[in-house]
């Protein structure tokens, strides 16, 4: 098991984006501040056959539970700082997976690997966006979930002790989420 707590702040120059969010305002100093606090709990257990056999296997289970709290703001810097755009967002991300692989030595130098990963994930998002200059705000709450199976196959050839050549075919998956960072009057 692993617990990760990560907090970081970033500041970007958003001067050129200011006229897009606040029509009528020209390009001027406008920092975009992004504060994130992420907490993640990861559990994994795996088992494997002994090495040195012609047929080897590996199997495992994986679980991840993560929360991300994000606050972002675009502010004007002339005089007293004034907020042009702000978002408070909270995400809960969960993932569960089972995986396995078989490796078979076809010859002393040629190995076939077949494996795969079954997975299920879910994302829950809550967001509040405000545009103080326009007097607008928008709230969003949504959930999505997905899953599937990602196969993998490879053929590995070792013509020398310090050289390995292989060909591999695999499929990956990245879970979806929600784009909430936009002016309050924009529809998703």
């Amino acid at each position: 098991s692993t617990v990760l707590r990560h907090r970081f702040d970033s500041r970007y120059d958003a001067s050129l984006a200011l006229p897009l969010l606040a029509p009528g305002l020209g390009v001027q100093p406008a920092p975009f501040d992004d504060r994130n606090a992420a907490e993640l709990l990861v559990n994994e257990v795996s088992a494997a056959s002994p090495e040195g056999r012609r047929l080897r296997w590996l199997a495992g289970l994986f679980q991840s539970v993560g929360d991300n709290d994000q606050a972002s703001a675009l502010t004007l810097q002339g005089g007293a700082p004034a907020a042009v755009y702000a978002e408070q967002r909270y995400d809960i991300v969960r993932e569960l997976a089972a995986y396995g692989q078989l490796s078979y030595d076809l010859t002393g130098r040629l190995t076939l690997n077949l494996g795969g990963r079954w997975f299920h994930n879910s994302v829950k998002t809550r967001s509040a966006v405000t545009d103080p200059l326009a007097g607008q705000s928008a709230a969003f709450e949504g959930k999505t979930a997905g899953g599937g199976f990602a196969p993998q196959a490879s053929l590995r050839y070792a013509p020398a002790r310090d050289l390995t050549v292989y060909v591999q075919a695999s499929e990956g998956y990245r879970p979806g989420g929600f784009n909430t960072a936009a002016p309050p009057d924009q529809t998703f």
Side-chain angles (χ1 to χ4, degrees):
S1 291
T2 300
V3 175
L4 170 71
R5 288 189 177 96
H6 191 66
R7 301 189 192 302
F8 56 96
D9 296 342
S10 301
R11 176 170 267 196
Y12 307 95
D13 178 6
S15 302
L16 296 176
L18 186 59
L20 299 173
L21 291 169
L25 292 177
V27 174
Q28 56 184 291
F32 181 79
D33 294 307
D34 191 20
R35 293 188 170 103
N36 285 280
E39 294 186 4
L40 186 65
L41 171 65
V42 177
N43 295 297
E44 185 168 11
V45 62
S46 63
S49 62
E51 288 293 320
R53 296 185 178 175
R54 191 170 185 183
L55 176 64
R56 295 169 307 283
W57 57 267
L58 168 77
L61 298 172
F62 172 86
Q63 177 206 23
S64 173
V65 178
D67 298 342
N68 189 42
D69 197 358
Q70 178 183 10
S72 55
L74 175 64
T75 54
L76 291 174
Q77 292 299 295
V84 175
Y85 168 88
E87 178 181 20
Q88 183 69 41
R89 179 177 168 139
Y90 183 69
D91 294 293
I92 300 171
V93 180
R94 309 280 188 256
E95 183 177 1
L96 182 63
Y99 57 89
Q101 180 173 309
L102 292 174
S103 297
Y104 184 71
D105 295 331
L106 299 169
T107 69
R109 295 183 178 191
L110 188 63
T111 302
L112 175 65
N113 296 301
L114 298 173
R117 184 175 192 265
W118 170 88
F119 58 90
H120 178 77
N121 57 62
S122 65
V123 177
K124 183 178 180 182
T125 300
R126 187 175 64 240
S127 169
V129 175
T130 58
D131 180 349
L133 294 180
Q136 297 177 329
S137 64
F140 174 83
E141 211 167 308
K143 291 190 284 187
T144 185
F149 180 78
Q152 181 266 339
S154 69
L155 189 60
R156 187 178 67 214
Y157 177 62
R161 204 167 66 159
D162 61 347
L163 177 65
T164 300
V165 180
Y166 67 92
V167 60
Q168 177 174 302
S170 61
E171 186 176 303
Y173 177 82
R174 180 136 171 97
F178 300 100
N179 295 322
T180 59
D185 60 349
Q186 183 173 338
T187 306
F188 291 98

